[in-house]
Amino acid sequence: MKNNPPSGYAGQLLWVDLTSRRLSQIDTATHVPLKLYLGGTGLGMRILYDNVPPKVQWNEAQNLLILATGPLNGTRIAGTGTVSIVTKGAMTNGATSTQASGFMGAYLKHSGFDAIVLEGIADQWSYLYLHNGVAELRSASHLVGKDTNQTEESIRKELGAKRLSIFSIGPAGENLVRFACIVSGKTHVAAHNGVGAVMGAKKLKAIVASGEPVKPLAVHDPSRLSQLSREVLKSTKEHPIWGRWYEWGTSRVMEGYSGLGLLPVKNYTTNELPPDIDKFSGTYYRERFHIKRNPCWACQFHHCHTLEVTEGPYSGYIAEEPEYEQWTAWGPQIGVFDPGAVVVLSDEADKLGLDANEGSWVIGMVMECFEKGIITKSDTDGLIMTWGNIEAVRAMLRKITSREGIGNVLAQGAKEASKLMGGDVPNMGVYTLKGTTPRAHDDRGNWLWMLDHCTSNTSVSETLVAASLATQGYLMFDADPLDPEAVPKAIVSRKGIMQFEDSLIICFIAGGPYLEPLIQMTEAVTGWQISIEEALDIGLRIVHLMKAFNVRHGLTTEMDFPSPRYGSSQTDGPLRARSALPDWSRMLHSYYTQMGWDYKSGRPLPQTLSKFSLDGVAKDLWGTSSDD
Amino acid sequence: MGVKIRLHPYLKDLTGGRISVEAAGQTVAECIDNLDTQYPGIRSRLCDQSGQLRSFYNVFLDSSESFHLLELKSKVNDGDKITILALISGG
């Protein structure tokens, strides 16, 4: 296999034991059956399941941190610079699959590796450098304390190479802030479930891959691949959602959320918005702030930009353009309504290495507590944590990063911090009982997202951030988002697509609106024949495997609930959606039944697992498979 | 027989819970105007102050197999089926 891997694969994994500093190159296909798992999230999840037993904690040596590519990475298809990171995460102590775009997905493959598997804990801060088919662990003692921008600049200067993709943690990851993230290129973030904390626990400061190809990437049918790429671009431009992403990135997403009453404002305490909320739309700020394209590997979308703030107190500030999640998280969610300020807060969080979603929900909870007198200046070391106080937020983010004072409590994330703060605070936090926070939405008006977030095995959406079947057309948007019968049915109908995409792996924005061309692209690269059913089976196999992992690692059905505030009713705004909580058990039960899972124990049923060639997993969970 | 319209569920508070309604008109815009006479407030929910369809609402000629997007000025005929959906996404 090493000498003749399937087209689309480098042929080897890099297995790094940070404790012994031993680096091994392992044949990919003999380690994981590629036709069943493809790569990316699938590859990573199979390795995680097979090698991280129950009772291993997220910060222990035996936990694995896996960066994985799939067969599309490194081709000239837009979106194939994305990489999937799989580990046991710091927030839930369960499975995580989170993606970051940019160049790592391509450069890792070009360096000669399908994936990196990191185990152990280094005895000194280190960084990993991959180039020309070899890997080396280098000292990172000079990088400790540097933010993610500074880390990248230092490494680039040190190595002198031109084409590098650098994933690094900031001081938040070094200090094991539970919602620390991994950042690349100042803007691409592997955000969820504390993957930055896992990396920090391993004393790994950065992972660097050279983009100088070891050898040309083998593609089975290059002309077919090019033709499919042109067809995907055409269908993308014609689609009402993807077409808007092509022209505007996520800069106009807030229009829908604010217009429909789905924008989270001040920790879900209101849905009323100021009249100039339109300043957060790309139609406003892209006309006024100076923007410069900063695309990912092979991407033609008008999505990622560097921008310069040109108005307000932060005029002159230069940073990467925030995504919708950041515009909302550091904007209305914490009572900030100045777009320049959001650019600053988004940039600061990225440099410190803090997840915007979790960080924003934590700050919002603190602000509400401050408003209600539950905490005071004496608790916050003098910081006036009123809604929209930007400088106080900046200072508090630094406190969380350094775990100083109340920052040490808040570094645990919204759920755990609320428990530590006590009183009524656990009822005020927006979080899932699994231990993470949702994305920057008011899901009280859209139970599709709430069910997806709460039941996700990855800690955040595992269903809705994906293409759809072309045969479904627009019907994927047709489900009544507040109907307890329709919601679980709609979620289950789309299950598996996201995991298939995350195994190719391709950015779901650049990948276009439909699943079928992605399957055809995979065929064009590998030469394999894959039916739609087989593609969905690959995705569902990964979902059931993640669920099995989480059940074995102690995550229960009861954790698939929203917090009281997350599941509450809206009291004002255009929608005034009712609470999901009275219907939640019924929806969850319906979801589990349709997924083929046992509600009481949370375990996928033996016949469900057997259908997806997971008989060994069935024996782990049930002591028997469906054939016994 | 008018134009059959299937509404996004977010609009059903204006229609007494109904998502399948009917309207008269020769264009999408006329149908929305006619709907507004039946269910006051629906036009301002769908269209902004300049009369343009809000960016997050889309109108389709009913076909489950493809997107056939319509504009406000698009012509419709009696017996046509159109769907008005709110298309939102994160990111």
Side-chain angles (χ1 to χ4, degrees), chain A residues 483-546:
Chain A
D483 179 348
E485 303 290 333
V487 164
K489 188 176 170 188
I491 292 290
V492 172
S493 74
R494 291 174 53 70
K495 212 69 172 174
I497 298 175
M498 188 169 166
Q499 281 65 42
F500 178 79
E501 285 193 80
D502 288 346
S503 299
L504 296 180
I505 167 173
I506 190 165
C507 163
F508 87 99
I509 289 179
Y514 302 120
L515 177 66
E516 289 86 341
L518 298 178
I519 299 172
Q520 291 156 13
M521 281 186 185
T522 311
E523 292 177 330
V525 170
T526 62
W528 298 338
Q529 296 298 307
I530 305 173
S531 67
I532 292 176
E533 290 70 29
E534 285 166 336
L536 292 173
D537 278 358
I538 290 170
L540 286 165
R541 179 176 298 114
I542 297 164
V543 172
H544 295 307
L545 185 63
M546 288 195 289

Side-chain angles (χ1 to χ4, degrees), chain B residues 12-90:
Chain B
K12 66 182 182 182
D13 62 307
L14 293 174
T15 61
R18 301 172 62 194
I19 59 170
S20 293
V21 296
E22 206 166 295
Q26 295 184 317
T27 64
V28 171
E30 287 179 9
C31 288
I32 290 175
D33 287 343
N34 182 252
L35 273 182
D36 197 64
T37 64
Q38 302 176 55
Y39 310 108
I42 207 167
R43 190 202 295 115
S44 63
R45 196 78 75 83
L46 292 171
C47 301
D48 61 26
Q49 287 174 340
S50 68
Q52 297 301 309
L53 197 64
R54 293 188 191 274
S55 61
F56 45 88
Y57 276 115
N58 287 269
V59 184
F60 304 97
L61 191 63
D62 216 356
S63 164
S64 63
E65 295 179 357
S66 65
F67 283 99
H68 188 147
L69 274 171
L70 300 176
E71 300 175 349
L72 287 176
K73 62 184 180 186
S74 299
K75 292 194 183 334
V76 289
N77 301 306
D78 282 353
D80 279 349
K81 296 177 187 175
I82 66 175
T83 298
I84 301 178
L85 285 180
L87 298 185
I88 48 173
S89 62

